[in-house]
Amino acid sequence: MTDFAARYVREIRSIQPHGPYHLVGWSLGGVIAHEMAVQLQDAGEEVRLLGLLDSYVGIDRSVENSATTADLLGGVGLDLPDGSVLDELAPDGQFDAERAAALLRVVGGPLAALTASELGRIYGNALRAPTLIDAHRPRVFAGDLVFFTAALDDGFHVDPVTCWGQFVRGSIVEHPVDATHWTMTTPAALAAIAPHLEHSHRRPRHAAPDTGSDSDPDDSANRPHSVR
């Protein structure tokens, strides 16, 4: 995870060498965005906005909503027009990358250039994401967090302060979104998310924190739950 974040940081700084930076990540990408924010602060840069879209660490996987093949396909950008298409793409519940690539070529759009091999790797990485997240040990981001919860996921709602409080030194503000985890980046969901991001990045932020050996004690247990 730290290597992923470092790669993204290098790519971003090749275009914008210095902050302020505005980072937003969904699911696995949110955990990466948090690590990116820490790495940028370590480099003396300002991270003015950190937003996470239904992104969690340290959760109990036994109570997490299970992902269907359709969920994972939608998560990598493959919009299924109806359920019958899934029967062709994933017979017996097994993802068929060749059929998915063929469908994308018919549907067209920016994803049509993906090969079966590339789709297979993307799908495999989606399956590996929980293991990668659980093995990651986040550090502390010295700033505020804007968190967007997938409000339509039944039975799985983790309070962001419970999840991220010990890894965020500033405030945590939560915004429920009428979406499931796997539809958090659809146009409708992003239309609801964008105004909150716009408001948050205009708020004043402090410069990069002092990264000396002394640090504030972990007070996450005494902080209030997220503000909605």
Side-chain angles (χ1 to χ4, degrees), residues 4-213:
F4 289 156
R7 169 67 186 275
Y8 283 126
V9 166
R10 287 197 303 272
E11 296 292 344
I12 287 175
R13 298 191 77 184
S14 72
I15 303 299
Q16 182 181 323
H18 300 289
Y21 294 101
H22 307 85
L23 306 176
V24 180
W26 165 60
S27 194
L28 171 71
V31 183
I32 295 175
H34 177 272
E35 173 63 23
M36 290 171 63
V38 174
Q39 292 186 16
L40 285 166
Q41 289 186 335
D42 285 348
E45 296 292 345
E46 178 190 2
V47 178
R48 186 166 294 173
L49 170 67
L50 176 60
L52 303 188
L53 311 185
D54 211 50
S55 179
Y56 302 94
V57 290
I59 63 173
D60 181 356
R61 297 287 173 190
S62 66
V63 298
E64 182 184 20
N65 289 338
S66 59
T68 65
T69 301
D71 289 334
L72 292 173
L73 290 174
V76 301
L78 185 55
D79 186 17
L80 301 178
D82 58 67
S84 64
V85 175
L86 179 61
D87 294 334
E88 296 184 11
L89 290 179
D92 301 321
Q94 299 299 313
F95 177 59
D96 189 320
E98 294 286 350
R99 295 184 183 187
L103 176 64
L104 285 176
R105 288 194 294 271
V106 172
V107 174
L111 298 180
L114 290 173
T115 66
S117 176
E118 290 167 337
L119 283 171
R121 291 200 300 273
I122 291 171
Y123 187 79
N125 286 338
L127 294 178
R128 291 177 56 232
T131 300
L132 293 172
I133 293 172
D134 291 345
H136 179 59
R137 296 296 176 264
R139 296 181 291 155
V140 176
F141 168 62
D144 299 335
L145 171 62
V146 185
F147 194 93
F148 298 89
T149 301
L152 298 185
D153 278 338
D154 294 333
F156 180 72
H157 297 285
V158 179
D159 183 78
V161 169
T162 302
C163 179
W164 287 103
Q166 61 183 311
F167 308 120
V168 173
R169 192 171 297 166
S171 64
I172 299 177
V173 178
E174 179 188 14
H175 300 286
V177 179
D178 286 335
T180 67
H181 177 80
W182 297 99
T183 59
M184 286 293 283
T185 59
T186 60
L190 293 177
I193 289 167
H196 296 294
L197 294 177
E198 176 70 14
H199 172 75
S200 296
H201 94 77
R202 292 183 180 277
R203 294 168 56 190
R205 292 289 188 274
H206 298 295
D210 180 2
T211 56
S213 58

